[in-house]
């Protein structure tokens, strides 16, 4: 069974700080996706990483896929209150398995 | 393209009652997924369809849960004899064909509370 563990589980920071969220597995994934979910809504896809070692940037968000394709990280630079939400990594072929989630709260 | 819609948004029921949720996927999407999510956790896979065929059902899913997609368009998820542990957000998602790198589009979910 493929499992995705995320850390930290909760993160509470001030506006302007940097942060990193980790997604780890003992299984190899052909690709990993990152989603963000706001309260009362479904998750929304942010990015897909497909190649070991790949780095993708989305404005202030930087996503990296581990060389062995077992882990990924999400780094946010100069966090803003609008970044608040539940961040989820997900992987799989026929069906997506989601990670345990990281709840981020950014205070002004 | 109106996105994935789910109905109802909220459902409150008493323990032992049956409930049914509906999901309307994006019209040209062949894949449809059901997930369950409890507060602060990641979505847990329940089942998925390719057109009208149910291809996989989670081993964790009780026999009280059943899902259908009779014409390969909308889907229903029924929970019989609800229990308090069934309280959760039930999310539906659709994608074009499934497979690696496929983007899932989620609905806003149905929040179920079992009293």
């Amino acid at each position: 069974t493929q499992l995705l563990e995320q850390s930290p589980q909760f993160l509470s920071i001030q506006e302007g700080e940097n942060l990193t969220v980790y997604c780890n597995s003992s299984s190899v994934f052909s690709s990993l996706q990152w989603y963000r979910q706001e309260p009362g809504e479904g998750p929304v896809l942010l990015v897909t990483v497909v190649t070991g070692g790949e780095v993708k940037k989305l404005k202030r968000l930087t996503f990296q896929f581990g060389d062995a394709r077992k882990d990924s990280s999400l780094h946010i630079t100069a966090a803003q209150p609008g970044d608040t939400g539940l961040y989820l990594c997900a992987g799989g072929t026929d069906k997506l398995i989601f990670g345990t989630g990281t709840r981020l709260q950014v205070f002004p | 393209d109106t996105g994935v819609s789910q109905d109802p948004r909220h459902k409150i029921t008493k323990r032992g009652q049956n409930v049914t949720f509906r999901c309307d996927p994006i019209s040209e999407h062949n894949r449809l997924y059901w997930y369950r999510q409890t507060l602060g956790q990641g979505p847990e896979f329940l089942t998925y369809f390719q057109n009208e065929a149910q291809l996989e059902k989670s081993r964790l899913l009780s026999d009280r849960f059943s899902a259908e997609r009779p014409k390969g368009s909308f889907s229903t998820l029924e929970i019989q004899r609800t229990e308090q542990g069934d309280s959760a957000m039930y999310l539906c998602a659709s994608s074009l064909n499934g497979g690696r790198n496929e983007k899932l589009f989620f609905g806003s979910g149905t929040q179920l509370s079992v009293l």
Side-chain angles (χ1 to χ4, degrees):
Chain A
T1 303
Q2 294 178 315
L3 294 174
L4 289 165
E5 294 284 339
Q6 289 184 236
S7 62
Q9 188 176 0
F10 299 101
L11 204 50
S12 182
I13 62 172
Q14 292 292 128
E15 181 176 4
E17 293 184 19
N18 302 332
L19 66 115
T20 302
V21 176
Y22 299 93
C23 172
N24 294 289
S25 176
S26 58
S27 303
V28 174
F29 285 86
S30 58
S31 64
L32 279 179
Q33 298 182 332
W34 283 92
Y35 288 76
R36 187 175 88 183
Q37 185 178 20
E38 299 189 17
E41 299 297 328
V44 176
L45 180 67
L46 295 174
V47 78
T48 302
V49 285
V50 299
T51 306
E54 180 178 6
V55 176
K56 277 192 175 178
K57 291 193 174 184
L58 186 66
K59 296 183 180 179
R60 294 175 294 100
L61 278 60
T62 302
F63 304 85
Q64 185 162 8
F65 200 11
D67 291 340
R69 291 183 287 127
K70 291 184 177 182
D71 58 271
S72 180
S73 64
L74 158 60
H75 182 80
I76 301 179
T77 303
Q80 299 177 0
D83 296 327
T84 293
L86 180 67
Y87 288 81
L88 298 158
C89 62
T93 305
D94 289 330
K95 63 182 186 290
L96 275 187
I97 302 300
F98 282 84
T100 48
T102 295
R103 183 164 297 282
L104 171 65
Q105 178 83 50
V106 182
F107 291 96
Chain B
D1 180 358
T2 57
V4 178
S5 62
Q6 292 187 243
D7 183 69
R9 287 295 306 270
H10 300 90
K11 178 70 177 179
I12 300 174
T13 191
K14 292 183 178 179
R15 189 176 52 188
Q17 298 294 306
N18 299 344
V19 294
T20 300
F21 310 141
R22 177 182 170 120
C23 171
D24 286 89
I26 293 172
S27 57
E28 65 268 24
H29 284 187
N30 297 317
R31 282 277 177 109
L32 187 147
Y33 305 81
W34 285 99
Y35 287 84
R36 176 172 61 191
Q37 185 178 30
T38 53
L39 194 62
Q41 300 297 311
E44 174 194 16
F45 169 77
L46 295 179
T47 187
Y48 81 95
F49 294 83
Q50 176 76 29
N51 299 313
E52 67 274 9
Q54 186 173 18
L55 297 188
E56 187 173 343
K57 186 175 175 181
S58 170
R59 287 172 292 175
L60 301 175
L61 206 58
S62 159
D63 289 343
R64 297 183 295 104
F65 287 70
S66 62
E68 293 183 340
R69 195 182 183 196
K71 297 181 180 178
S73 56
F74 74 92
S75 176
T76 57
L77 177 68
E78 181 183 18
I79 308 174
Q80 296 182 326
R81 304 181 303 282
T82 53
E83 302 173 356
Q84 288 185 327
D86 297 331
S87 296
M89 172 78 85
Y90 289 84
L91 291 164
C92 175
S94 70
S95 68
L96 197 55
N97 285 310
R100 175 180 162 172
N101 304 336
E102 190 80 353
K103 177 179 179 179
L104 262 60
F105 294 81
F106 281 86
S108 297
T110 294
Q111 182 67 53
L112 173 65
S113 297
V114 182
L115 305 178

